[in-house]
């Protein structure tokens, strides 16, 4: 475990993802690949339209599509599809960076959480630690993910996906300013995701989402209500115990680990099933 | 708007240091300089620009703005290059259209240039072609693909010289045979080509630059063929025709920034996917409180912004629109025709109260229950739709609010699209006071980057650059020669000769005398003006010999006579042996045409097929010669975006390999075909080398000048100076800037794209400011936030067409400005034109732009001088120098006489005649400039007068079917008995008519399809080519034909996605886009899926009268499952941008649809056909 200092939530930069402005065009998904020179990989048909169906080593940003039913302003209840652009949310106190045993995950002054490929040893702790299931392993064994376009934001530019967006979904700026915007959205009656999260991620993330209340149930398609990985959380709490070799601690850890693993996998499967059910799937 | 773009400006253009400090202000001080948390390791805190994606040389790269090659928004893309390497691409931050942003296609467009699959050398086929009958015999898609794959082209790479010589030789043999068989171009009454008979079809793309599409048309004329067309035929030909015949022009009526001012938008389209950047402006309207109604059987990404989603049956569009009028006239209180504003507006529509009563008779038939029964939309939804739209329109709000009708292929691809659907949208917008006002208008969004431009410069088989019709008869040429003798007059100064007055088309002119004019006369004068432009700029001849005897002289015309074949009808002509060769540049009809087997067999039956493209497309698979085309940013030229704004697209890098721009290819083709003796002009055979330009005044023949004919000089585009200095060696050989100058004079609507006084190309303007109040259209620009200093637009930089009085009606004021030394009082947008006296800009359409202007115009030089004052056109175009060689007719002492330019200038002060041809608009022109709410499309009577005949016709149709149980025989019986399909009715108002393949025979009898009014459709019905007989390539005109087919009956329609583009050649070969949509699919409603037992991702089989194919199903509630005429009816929508060649491939939706066509424009009916679906 690496002991890190993280910028405060009102320091550095942040992004407000205003889902009410999103037309689901996926320009962000392409702009990310273009700026970061991520190679093309063949994909398959997706029953949810999300393609590829989740993040991949060469796809750091994916737009998810979730079909729901919604009451329209004109009074008719009709189907509705909500696009959700998704990438690493850059947690306030990034658990992946805390979990990396070799300090390969850097946190910049701006709050960007960046995996340095050359230092990565491929252990996968970051992936396990991530409550959003973001880091992906490349063929060479190293892990990779969205860098917040750290090489752009440190030179006065917006992240590539922010700059390209035709409908200005993303409000990028100093964190204090973005937090204020998010609060304003909340005050205007919108659902805001990302400001009151578990202590595991530091209580908030730097990619904050806002959406009208009548569409808010679409968020769960890719954004978990609980931003935590209980096993890792406990491991961190119990870390001193382990370090001093308490057998009890180890045993407890193992038990919790097993319980967590089982429960976690069940939840993931359930969540995935729910997501596909929306598309008319029957298991 | 302004604050928004300034925010982006800030973010994108501030220096690195400035923003870095902005970040630093909020950066955590605790971390600055903190030690590494990992022992013995340097802790990385700073990244270099481009470090992550290996783009670190980005700071050395040069940025070049080019216009995006995909949709018609006109977004500007900066390509950052070092030499021939693209480092990065991004939206150009200065563009008012995309303010630095892009959609996924625009962002991936660089991969069209750097692409391993590109064709980089000319190639000649060595393998045999797939045999026609094998193609036609295929029953399924897989079978069809297997057949054509058995016959690969086996290309032999060659150099350009060999490729051109090969083409010239093969085409020479076809032309020699044709000339020997027909005697062309020698005929009894003169020398000309019959342009519809020449066995060559030319097809130009809609993503070409204007300079390229223009040369396509020019080359077709030089090759004596009017069989030329482009992709526009298959996407918006019905729009262009319906709007042009109603409003005067076929284009989108307003510019994109104007949609931000709308109060209600009715989408029959899907711009969030097809034109993503438009949503930058649509969302501004939404934020202002606009209501969005989305009419689409498929829940699209546009529908996610709907206040009301109206899934309806494809093909019921006319009925849906009529219910808006039913509500407005019969349900709302008071009815709109009792409003004062309605009376004011009536004056602009050319209808009487009596006409209105006739129209209301039709409207009365579309009450809410009837429309619900036809369209499948529940009554409550229809009511809500009509109320929202009508109550937010200009006529009901005194122009405080306006509504937009927005459409694309869902409207246009029907057999009744031009006469019924789009005509109705145009009428609805007029009657509701929504046309010509900010935030209103008709907004057909064009699919391709330059489909508007290519349509303008290459109208199609019946038209010439700039829209004048091709000559249809030698009589027209004779009357034209007579018009020339009268001094190229405008409509009011023109006397239609007595000997032509009773003959068509001149018998339509009701005011033939000098001093008077009607619309028909004004339009004819405009056509003649257009032909004269061709003669002068191309160095050709159109007229009689001798020139002074138009009535009896020999007709000699280098413009071919007779309208040729369009994109959709030529394949069957090829099967009939009438078309033997085709040039297809930058288009992929093998995928985009309907009824794949027909187009594929048509392509396979050609003796010579020349294709130019970036990739080996499906069309190229059938080619004899494949030429490597340069990509969008490897060449330069003008793009005209969907709302008519002309922008210069710059060249960012040299063409890869041996690839060359299409302007280069066309020019070289001309040179080789000329040398080989394929191109022989009628004037040459007639020995005509000089035109004796003469005017006849009061019986006296006045010598104006002798014009040497030099067609070859007009094809010499080498070199160039000043603003036309060539940008690289390829352009020094064929310079698009010289072609652009030529276009400026060849086409009235594009006059203004080059300012000959200042030697400036106006499409190069990138002004980001709104105009100031004292400037031309300053108040208009400022109040309505319209960017008039960016590029230019046609006509005459008018951005909101028909904007006669919006300043008066919306702002309540008239405006006075001073320009070109005079004061002008205006009430709307006037546009601008160079002034012939001062050379400065002056307002053009004063007091504002009205319907049909400037097809209707006045000309100061009528009877005085040749067009542009008789300047040497070739010299002006190539060298930028104006040398007047013509004389001027003036009256002195009651006697006409011809004087020199200098004398004329001394007398009149008009010294910049070539800048504007002295065109202007006066009260007389404004008086006949009216929109045509009433406009007959066929011979016959008004609705009330024809009603009894229509009813009898319908009864007879039903009866004949009941007797024969055969639609074809019933149609035959009806036509035999009545002489025509839909006898007596002139279609002056639209009516709902069913698609050829109606899902319910009851509806087919009640509202018979209009299709059988067109001979091509009858050919499909009765006289299919011999090879086609007994093979499944017909139509299910009788839905019971499908009874024997297993599965559920569905109405089929098709769609594309944000990530895909038309035939897919430009997206399926682009890796970043292929990754997001790797396969086609059919979208089906959940209820239907449950019925046939499929889930998302399962395969289904779709079967129609053309065959069957297998595709994955995408199951969603967001697809219409309707109740039509009391029966359950699911709609399925196929994603159509796929076929067998490319990086990703899949089944081709256009394999399934029929090749029946619109009765006016021959656009195919590919949005509503029927078939069966089953689990596969």
């Amino acid at each position: 475990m690496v002991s890190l200092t993280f910028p405060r939530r009102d320091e550095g930069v942040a992004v407000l993802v205003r889902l009410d402005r999103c037309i689901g065009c996926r320009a962000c998904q392409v702009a990310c690949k273009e700026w970061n020179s991520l190679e093309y990989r063949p994909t398959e048909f997706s029953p949810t339209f999300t393609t590829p169906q989740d993040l991949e080593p060469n796809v750091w940003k994916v737009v998810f599509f979730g079909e729901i039913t919604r009451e329209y302003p004109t009074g008719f209840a009709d189907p509705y599809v909500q696009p959700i652009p998704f990438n690493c949310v850059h947690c306030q106190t990034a658990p992946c960076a805390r979990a990396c045993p070799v300090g390969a995950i850097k946190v910049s002054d701006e709050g960007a959480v960046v995996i340095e490929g050359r230092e990565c040893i491929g252990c996968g702790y970051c992936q396990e630690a991530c409550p959003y299931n973001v880091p992906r392993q490349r063929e060479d064994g190293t892990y990779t993910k969205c860098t917040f376009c750290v090489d752009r934001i440190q030179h006065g530019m917006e992240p590539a996906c922010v700059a390209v967006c035709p409908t200005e979904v993303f409000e990028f700026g100093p964190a204090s300013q973005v937090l204020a915007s998010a609060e304003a959205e909340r005050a205007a009656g919108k659902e805001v995701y990302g400001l009151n999260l578990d202590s595991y991620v530091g209580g908030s993330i730097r990619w904050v989402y806002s959406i009208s209340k009548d569409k808010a149930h679409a968020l769960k398609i890719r954004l978990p209500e609980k931003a935590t990985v209980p096993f890792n959380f406990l491991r961190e709490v119990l870390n001193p115990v382990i370090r001093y070799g308490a057998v009890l601690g180890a045993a407890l850890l193992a038990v919790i680990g097993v319980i967590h693993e089982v429960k976690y996998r069940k939840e993931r499967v359930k969540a995935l099933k729910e997501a596909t059910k929306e598309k008319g799937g029957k298991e | 708007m302004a604050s928004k773009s300034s925010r982006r400006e800030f973010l994108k253009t501030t220096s690195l240091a400035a923003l870095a400090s902005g970040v630093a202000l909020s950066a955590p001080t605790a971390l600055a300089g903190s030690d590494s948390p990992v022992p013995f390791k340097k802790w990385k805190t700073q990244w270099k620009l481009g470090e992550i994606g290996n783009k670190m040389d980005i700071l050395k790269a040069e940025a070049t703005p080019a216009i995006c090659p995909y949709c018609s928004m006109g977004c500007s893309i900066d390509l950052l290059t070092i030499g021939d390497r693209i480092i990065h691409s991004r939206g150009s931050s200065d563009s008012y259209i995309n303010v630095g942003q892009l959609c996924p296609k625009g962002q991936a467009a660089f991969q069209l240039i750097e692409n391993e699959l590109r064709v980089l050398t000319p190639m000649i086929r060595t393998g045999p072609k797939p045999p026609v009958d094998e193609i036609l015999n295929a029953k399924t898609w897989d079978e069809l693909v297997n057949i054509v794959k058995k016959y690969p082209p086996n290309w032999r790479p060659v150099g350009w010289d060999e490729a051109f010589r090969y083409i010239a030789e093969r085409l020479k043999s076809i032309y020699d045979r044709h000339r020997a068989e027909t005697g062309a171009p020698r005929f009894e009454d003169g020398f000309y080509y019959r342009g519809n008979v020449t066995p060559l079809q030319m097809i130009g793309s809609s993503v070409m630059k204007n300079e390229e599409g223009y040369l396509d048309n020019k080359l077709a004329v030089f090759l004596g063929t009017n069989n030329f067309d482009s992709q526009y035929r298959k996407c918006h030909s019905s729009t262009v025709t319906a709007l042009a015949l109603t409003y005067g022009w076929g284009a989108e009526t307003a510019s994109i920034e104007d949609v931000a001012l709308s109060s209600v938008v009715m989408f029959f389209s899907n711009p969030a996917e097809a034109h993503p950047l438009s949503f930058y402006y649509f969302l501004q309207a939404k934020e202002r409180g606009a209501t969005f109604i989305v009419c689409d059987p498929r829940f699209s990404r546009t529908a996610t912004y709907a206040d009301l989603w109206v899934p309806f049956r494809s093909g019921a569009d006319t009925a849906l629109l009529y219910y808006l009028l039913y509500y407005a006239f019969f349900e709302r209180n008071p009815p709109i025709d009792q409003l004062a504003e309605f009376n004011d507006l009536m004056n602009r529509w050319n209808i009487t109260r009596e006409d209105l009563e006739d129209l209301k008779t039709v409207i009365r038939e579309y009450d809410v229950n009837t429309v619900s029964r036809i369209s499948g939309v529940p009554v409550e939804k229809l009511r809500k739709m009509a109320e929202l739209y009508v109550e937010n329109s200009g006529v009901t709000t005194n122009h405080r609010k306006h509504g937009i009708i927005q459409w694309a292929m869902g409207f246009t691809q029907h057999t009744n699209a031009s006469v019924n659907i789009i005509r109705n949208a145009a009428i609805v917008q007029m009657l509701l006071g929504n046309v010509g006002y900010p935030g209103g208008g008709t907004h057909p969004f064009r699919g391709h980057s330059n489909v508007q431009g290519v349509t303008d410069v290459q109208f199609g088989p019946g038209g010439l650059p700039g829209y004048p019709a091709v000559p249809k008869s030698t009589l027209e040429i004779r009357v034209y020669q007579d018009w020339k003798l009268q001094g190229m007059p405008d409509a009011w100064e023109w006397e239609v000769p007595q000997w032509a007055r009773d003959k068509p088309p001149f018998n339509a002119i009701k005011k033939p005398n000098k001093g008077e004019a009607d619309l028909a006369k004004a339009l004819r004068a405009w056509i003649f003006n257009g032909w004269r432009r061709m003669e002068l700029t191309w160095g050709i001849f159109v007229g009689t010999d001798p020139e002074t005897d138009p009535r009896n002289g020999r007709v000699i015309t280098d413009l071919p006579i007779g309208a040729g074949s369009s994109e959709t009808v030529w394949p069957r002509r090829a099967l009939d042996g009438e078309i033997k060769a085709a040039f297809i540049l930058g288009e992929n009809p093998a995928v985009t045409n309907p009824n794949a087997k027909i187009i594929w067999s048509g392509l396979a039956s050609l003796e010579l097929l020349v294709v130019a493209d970036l990739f080996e497309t499906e069309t190229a698979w059938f080619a004899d010669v494949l030429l490597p085309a340069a990509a969008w940013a490897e060449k330069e030229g003008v793009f005209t975006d969907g709302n008519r704004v002309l922008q210069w697209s710059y060249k960012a890098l040299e063409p890869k390999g041996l690839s060359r721009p299409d302007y280069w290819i066309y020019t070289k083709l001309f040179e080789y075909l000329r040398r080989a003796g394929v191109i022989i002009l009628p004037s040459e055979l007639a020995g005509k080398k000089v035109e004796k330009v003469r005017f006849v005044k009061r019986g006296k023949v006045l010598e104006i000048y002798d014009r040497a004919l030099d067609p070859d000089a007009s094809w010499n585009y080498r070199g160039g100076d000043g603003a036309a200095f060539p940008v690289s060696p390829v352009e020094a050989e064929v310079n698009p800037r010289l072609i652009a100058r030529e276009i400026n004079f060849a086409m009235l609507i594009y006059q203004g794209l080059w300012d000959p006084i200042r030697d400036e190309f106006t499409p190069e303007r990138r002004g980001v400011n709104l105009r100031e109040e004292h400037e031309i259209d300053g108040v208009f620009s400022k109040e309505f936030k319209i960017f008039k200093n960016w590029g230019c637009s046609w006509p005459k930089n008018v951005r909101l067409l028909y904007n006669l009085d919006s300043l008066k009606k919306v702002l309540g004021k008239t405006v006075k400005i001073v320009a070109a030394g005079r004061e002008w009082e205006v009430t709307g947008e006037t546009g601008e034109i160079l002034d012939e006296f001062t050379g400065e800009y002056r307002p053009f359409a004063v007091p504002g732009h009205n319907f049909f202007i400037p097809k209707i115009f006045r000309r100061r030089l009528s009877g005085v001088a040749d067009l542009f004052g008789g300047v040497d056109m070739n010299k002006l175009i190539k060298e930028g120098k104006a040398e007047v060689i013509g004389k001027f007719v003036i009256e002195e002492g009651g006697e006409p006489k011809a004087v020199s330019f200098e004398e004329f200038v001394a007398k009149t002060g008009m010294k910049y005649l070539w800048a504007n041809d002295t065109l202007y608009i006066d009260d007389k022109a404004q008086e006949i400039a009216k929109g045509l709410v009433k406009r007959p499309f066929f011979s016959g009577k008004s609705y009330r007068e024809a009603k009894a005949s229509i009813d009898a016709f319908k009864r007879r149709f039903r009866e004949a079917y009941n007797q024969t149980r055969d639609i074809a025989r019933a149609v035959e019986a009806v036509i035999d008995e009545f002489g025509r399909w839909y006898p007596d009715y002139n279609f002056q108002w639209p009516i709902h008519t069913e698609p050829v393949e109606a899902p319910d025979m009851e509806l087919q009898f009640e509202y018979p399809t209009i299709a059988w009014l067109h001979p091509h459709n009858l050919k499909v019905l009765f006289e299919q080519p011999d090879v086609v007989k007994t093979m499944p390539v017909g139509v299910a005109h009788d839905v019971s034909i499908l009874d024997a087919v297993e599965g559920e009956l569905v109405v089929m329609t098709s769609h594309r996605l944000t990530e895909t583009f038309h035939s897919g050649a430009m997206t399926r070969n682009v890796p970043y886009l292929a990754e997001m949509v790797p396969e086609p699919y059919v979208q089906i409603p959940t209820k239907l899926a449950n019925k046939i037992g499929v889930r998302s991702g399962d395969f289904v089989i779709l079967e129609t009268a053309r065959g069957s194919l297998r595709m994955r199903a995408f199951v969603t509630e967001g697809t219409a499952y309707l109740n039509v005429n009391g029966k359950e009816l699911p709609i399925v929508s196929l994603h159509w941008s796929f076929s067998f060649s490319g990086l990703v491939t899949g089944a081709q939706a256009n394999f399934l649809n029929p090749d029946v066509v619109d009765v006016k424009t021959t656009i195919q009916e590919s949005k509503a056909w029927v078939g069966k679906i089953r689990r596969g």
Side-chain angles (χ1 to χ4, degrees), chain B residues 987-1144:
Chain B
F987 280 89
Q988 67 180 20
W989 323 118
I991 55 173
H992 168 67
T993 55
E994 284 290 309
V996 165
E997 297 196 343
D1000 183 315
M1001 286 313 283
E1002 190 49 40
L1003 290 173
Q1004 183 65 278
F1005 292 127
E1006 216 172 318
Y1007 306 99
T1009 176
I1010 195 174
W1012 315 128
L1013 268 165
H1014 194 281
H1016 171 86
N1017 295 331
L1018 291 174
K1019 192 169 176 174
V1020 176
L1021 187 66
F1022 302 128
E1023 304 163 12
Q1024 298 184 356
D1026 284 347
V1027 280
V1028 180
K1029 269 180 197 156
T1030 76
M1031 294 168 195
V1033 288
V1035 282
H1037 41 61
D1038 177 351
V1039 70
S1040 65
I1041 287 173
L1042 296 171
D1043 284 354
V1045 178
E1046 186 198 338
E1048 293 291 317
L1049 178 74
V1050 291
V1051 164
M1052 295 184 186
T1053 187
S1054 62
H1055 67 272
R1056 69 177 179 89
L1057 301 166
T1058 315
E1059 303 84 354
T1060 60
F1061 190 68
H1062 309 305
S1063 88
M1066 284 170 65
T1067 51
R1068 286 185 284 119
N1069 289 309
V1070 171
Y1072 282 173
L1073 299 173
E1075 185 177 282
M1076 293 192 292
V1077 183
E1079 237 186 274
Y1081 63 86
V1082 54
Q1083 187 166 320
I1084 69 174
T1086 311
K1087 205 169 165 185
L1088 173 68
N1090 292 339
K1091 228 173 184 174
I1092 60 174
V1094 298
R1095 292 175 305 168
S1096 250
D1098 289 349
F1099 279 100
V1100 290
I1101 290 173
L1102 300 149
E1103 185 158 355
T1104 71
R1106 275 69 58 191
S1108 70
L1109 60 71
R1110 201 164 161 266
M1111 227 181 218
R1112 283 187 204 271
F1114 180 74
V1115 178
T1116 163
E1117 295 281 347
T1119 320
Y1121 194 99
L1122 305 168
N1123 187 311
V1124 172
N1125 195 26
K1127 290 174 210 147
E1128 283 193 358
L1129 182 70
I1131 313 277
V1132 303
S1133 185
L1134 289 91
H1135 175 221
W1136 73 272
S1137 302
F1138 275 77
S1139 191
F1140 67 87
S1141 174
L1143 181 61
V1144 292

Side-chain angles (χ1 to χ4, degrees), chain B residues 727-747:
Chain B
V727 296
S728 81
V730 174
E731 280 65 31
E733 231 183 311
V734 179
N735 189 349
R737 290 170 181 261
L738 295 179
I739 305 169
R741 276 188 187 165
E742 184 176 311
I743 291 174
N744 180 66
F745 297 106
M747 293 165 50

Side-chain angles (χ1 to χ4, degrees), chain B residues 463-583:
Chain B
L464 291 162
Y467 297 107
V470 297
K472 303 275 175 30
S473 66
T474 49
L475 175 72
E476 287 187 33
I477 305 290
R478 293 185 187 283
V479 178
Y480 170 66
Q481 180 65 50
D482 187 85
W483 172 83
K484 287 200 276 185
L485 287 173
Q486 291 184 40
M488 293 80 173
D490 62 32
W492 287 263
E493 298 298 319
W494 176 37
E495 176 93 15
V496 180
Q498 290 292 345
W499 43 268
R501 288 187 180 186
D502 58 342
K503 300 186 183 77
F506 304 100
N507 58 358
I509 297 171
K510 302 294 174 229
K511 292 183 174 174
N513 294 324
K514 198 165 171 171
E516 57 178 24
D518 59 5
L519 186 58
K521 194 179 182 193
L523 293 180
R524 181 47 62 174
W526 164 73
I527 289 172
F528 285 171
N529 183 286
W531 294 357
R532 187 62 184 160
R533 285 166 187 261
M534 304 291 122
E535 276 194 281
L536 296 178
T537 52
W538 295 356
I540 58 171
F541 182 72
V542 181
T544 62
D545 186 59
E547 288 85 346
T548 45
D549 188 4
R551 202 171 175 191
N552 305 305
R554 272 189 315 174
V555 165
I556 299 169
T557 168
D558 294 333
L559 292 179
I561 292 178
S565 48
S566 71
E567 288 235 347
T568 44
V569 305
W570 79 268
R572 279 181 194 260
R573 287 192 72 199
L575 284 171
D576 287 345
E578 293 169 20
I579 300 290
K580 294 189 166 61
F583 290 166

Side-chain angles (χ1 to χ4, degrees), chain A residues 104-183:
Chain A
I105 303 185
K106 319 294 179 189
V107 180
S108 79
D109 291 358
E110 295 78 18
V113 182
V114 186
I115 302 177
E116 261 297 291
R118 277 161 300 195
E119 295 179 27
C120 175
I121 57 166
C123 67
Y125 285 10
C126 55
Q127 190 177 34
E128 273 181 35
C130 178
Y132 291 92
N133 186 22
V134 166
R136 290 291 185 275
Q137 195 171 23
R138 291 194 186 101
E139 274 162 17
D140 69 359
T142 62
Y143 279 79
T144 185
K145 70 169 191 69
C146 159
T147 69
F148 214 137
C149 276
V150 67
D151 60 341
R152 288 172 62 102
I153 63 176
Q154 289 192 336
H155 296 94
M157 294 161 78
E158 298 169 313
C161 60
V162 170
V164 80
C165 178
T167 51
E168 299 176 341
V169 169
F170 309 103
E171 183 189 336
F172 166 81
S176 54
Q177 186 187 305
V178 172
L179 284 173
S181 296
E183 287 304 341

